[in-house]
């Protein structure tokens, strides 16, 4: 089974979170498809989908802006009856949730993001001290079949290593559920 990490804005496959996740999810073939604000996201997402369309189940972890694309990939797979175990880290669920309005996104990037009102079927980690995103609007009760965990951390999740067990357990539980 594959594990795909979709990094956030300004990050890449050298991401500390990606490196740490590889140590937790050692049983999975890991990869991190990179993107920039100029990426043709329709083509990028389609290619990413096609690269895993023959796998019944994949694990997808999205961080910040990458969480929005991870969710879009999950929805593409769901439409074809394919399973996605989804983990969203400090997710940018809507462009309007950004607190730092001075950090301008390219029109291309901004227009490629979806407004995700209530993410479903995911583990969602939200830092209580997130200084980048306003995630107060996330209603955990509206997030069907999701686990929303508020953690004592900031947007970049400097304490990320502490959450690896939580993520590993979630992935394992979802694998068991999907195998039944």
């Amino acid at each position: 089974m594959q594990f795909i990490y979709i990094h956030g804005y300004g990050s890449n496959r050298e991401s500390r979170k990606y490196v740490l996740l590889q140590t937790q999810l050692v049983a999975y073939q890991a990869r991190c498809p990179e993107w920039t604000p100029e990426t043709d996201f329709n083509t990028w997402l389609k290619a990413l989908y096609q690269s895993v369309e023959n796998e019944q189940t994949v694990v997808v972890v999205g961080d910040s802006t990458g969480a929005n694309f991870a969710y879009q990939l999950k929805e593409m797979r769901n439409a074809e009856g394919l399973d996605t175990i989804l983990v969203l880290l400090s997710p940018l669920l809507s462009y309007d949730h950004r607190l730092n309005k001075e950090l301008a996104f390219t029109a291309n990037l901004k227009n490629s993001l979806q407004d995700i009102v209530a993410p479903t079927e995911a583990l969602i980690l939200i830092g209580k001290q997130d200084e980048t995103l306003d995630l107060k609007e996330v209603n955990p009760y509206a997030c069907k079949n999701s686990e929303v965990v508020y953690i004592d951390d900031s947007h970049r999740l400097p304490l990320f290593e502490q959450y690896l067990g939580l993520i590993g357990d979630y992935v394992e539980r979802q694998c068991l559920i999907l195998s039944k």
Side-chain angles (χ1 to χ4, degrees):
M1 186 181 323
Q2 283 196 46
F3 148 56
I4 299 169
Y5 178 80
I6 303 179
H7 64 77
Y9 181 78
S11 189
N12 58 35
R13 68 175 46 109
E14 304 295 319
S15 165
R16 169 184 57 87
K17 292 174 219 159
Y18 177 54
V19 171
L20 287 168
L21 281 165
Q22 289 178 78
T23 67
Q24 181 67 36
L25 303 174
V26 293
Y28 303 92
Q29 179 185 0
R31 66 188 176 117
C32 178
E34 293 191 283
W35 61 270
T36 69
E38 293 77 31
T39 295
D40 175 344
F41 289 102
N42 286 332
T43 302
W44 182 81
L45 274 169
K46 186 175 181 179
L48 185 53
Y49 169 80
Q50 289 172 340
S51 73
V52 291
E53 70 182 327
N54 293 325
E55 294 197 40
Q56 181 59 40
T57 306
V58 295
V59 176
V60 179
V61 178
D63 183 34
S64 190
T65 308
N68 196 292
F69 297 123
Y71 196 82
Q72 291 181 53
L73 177 62
K74 178 195 78 101
E75 291 295 292
M76 293 169 73
R77 290 180 52 79
N78 279 359
E80 298 300 322
L82 300 170
D83 299 317
T84 304
I85 299 171
L86 184 64
V87 178
L88 304 176
L89 310 172
S90 303
L92 177 61
L93 301 173
S94 170
Y95 183 77
D96 295 333
H97 289 173
R98 297 172 314 112
L99 292 172
N100 182 0
K101 306 296 185 191
E102 293 169 14
L103 175 61
F105 282 27
T106 63
N108 177 56
L109 177 55
K110 179 182 174 185
N111 294 334
S112 298
L113 298 171
Q114 291 183 353
D115 282 328
I116 303 164
V117 177
T120 61
E121 301 168 344
L123 171 63
I124 306 165
L125 297 182
I126 297 175
K128 293 178 187 176
Q129 291 87 35
D130 195 315
E131 69 287 358
T132 303
L133 301 174
D134 182 1
L135 295 171
K136 294 181 189 108
E137 294 183 34
V138 177
N139 178 356
Y141 301 106
C143 299
K144 183 180 170 196
N145 297 326
S146 289
E147 294 180 29
V148 180
V149 181
Y150 291 91
I151 52 180
D152 287 317
D153 213 338
S154 64
H155 184 74
R156 292 187 176 264
L157 303 177
L159 304 175
F160 186 68
E161 197 164 3
Q162 295 178 15
Y163 317 125
L164 292 174
L166 175 72
I167 293 167
D169 290 345
Y170 177 80
V171 169
E172 202 172 295
R173 279 185 283 120
Q174 294 307 306
C175 283
L176 286 172
I177 290 168
L178 292 172
S179 68
K180 291 182 180 182

